[in-house]
Amino acid sequence: MEEIQKSREAYNQKVLPYDFAPKVTTIGELIAGVDCYWLEPDHPSPDSMIVYLHGGGFTMGSFGTHGKLASHLAAALRTRVLFIEYALAPEHPFPAGLNDVLAVYRELKARHPRYRICLEGDSAGGGLAVSAVAEMMNQALLLPEAVILVSPWIDLAGGYPSYEQNAARDLFVTKGMI
């Protein structure tokens, strides 16, 4: 557990070369028992939103590490973005994070039945988005309008040949790290 705390601290110390998008308001809200953050640009679309799932290997990452990125999505797309602080492993093993995402999604669909809700995730958040859609299908829930995957981590075994083929290009995510 001490090792994961050190990894989280190092991850949280990474300095991004940009700040929050101007004219995007951040509002925290507890939805279905899960901490979330609304990122709302000036004059957002009145009937759509993006639910954002951050990366971090399912063990780290937060609004502190990915909120700035999500704010720029909100500004560029002029759409409200809901950032979910889903449960992280190892304290909360699978399917805790998935359950958080599904609970928030159900609540959003109940509150805004006519909204176009898109689901977006990067890295581990992309893998979580794929898992969420699969579970939504299993439960016969209405699916998101779209799913946006940014470099999704969907093969937890690291079996894709691209790890070797791109080893010189991707110094951050290596097969050994996976």
Side-chain angles (χ1 to χ4, degrees):
M1 195 60 161
E2 185 177 322
E3 186 175 321
I4 192 68
Q5 289 301 88
K6 286 181 182 177
S7 293
R8 285 178 182 161
E9 288 171 16
Y11 194 78
N12 290 339
Q13 296 300 318
K14 291 183 180 181
V15 178
L16 297 175
Y18 53 89
D19 205 350
F20 279 89
K23 299 183 181 180
V24 172
T25 305
T26 302
I27 303 165
E29 182 180 359
L30 191 67
I31 301 176
V34 180
D35 287 325
C36 299
Y37 295 90
W38 287 105
L39 296 152
E40 188 165 328
D42 286 347
H43 312 293
S45 169
D47 63 353
S48 66
M49 70 178 73
I50 295 172
V51 174
Y52 187 82
L53 307 176
H54 66 83
F58 302 104
T59 62
M60 56 191 118
S62 65
F63 187 74
T65 59
H66 289 74
K68 291 177 183 179
L69 170 63
S71 77
H72 285 274
L73 290 170
L77 301 174
R78 288 184 278 188
T79 302
R80 295 173 76 202
V81 172
L82 182 68
F83 188 103
I84 300 178
E85 289 273 19
Y86 60 85
L88 299 176
E91 301 92 331
H92 307 283
F94 183 83
L98 175 60
N99 290 339
D100 285 349
V101 171
L102 293 171
V104 170
Y105 182 80
R106 276 191 212 94
E107 178 65 27
L108 291 175
K109 289 303 282 182
R111 287 186 196 179
H112 309 285
R114 291 183 173 80
Y115 267 54
R116 293 183 323 254
I117 299 176
C118 298
L119 189 59
E120 179 171 357
D122 74 271
S123 193
L128 186 55
V130 170
S131 295
V133 169
E135 190 56 32
M136 290 172 193
M137 292 172 73
N138 287 341
Q139 295 180 23
L141 298 175
L142 288 174
L143 296 177
E145 185 77 17
V147 179
I148 305 153
L149 305 175
V150 180
S151 191
W153 187 21
I154 52 176
D155 173 17
L156 301 186
Y160 286 117
S162 66
Y163 287 113
E164 283 85 20
Q165 294 166 351
N166 295 305
R169 289 185 211 141
D170 189 346
L171 303 177
F172 182 69
V173 180
T174 66
K175 185 165 182 163
M177 185 193 86
I178 296 300

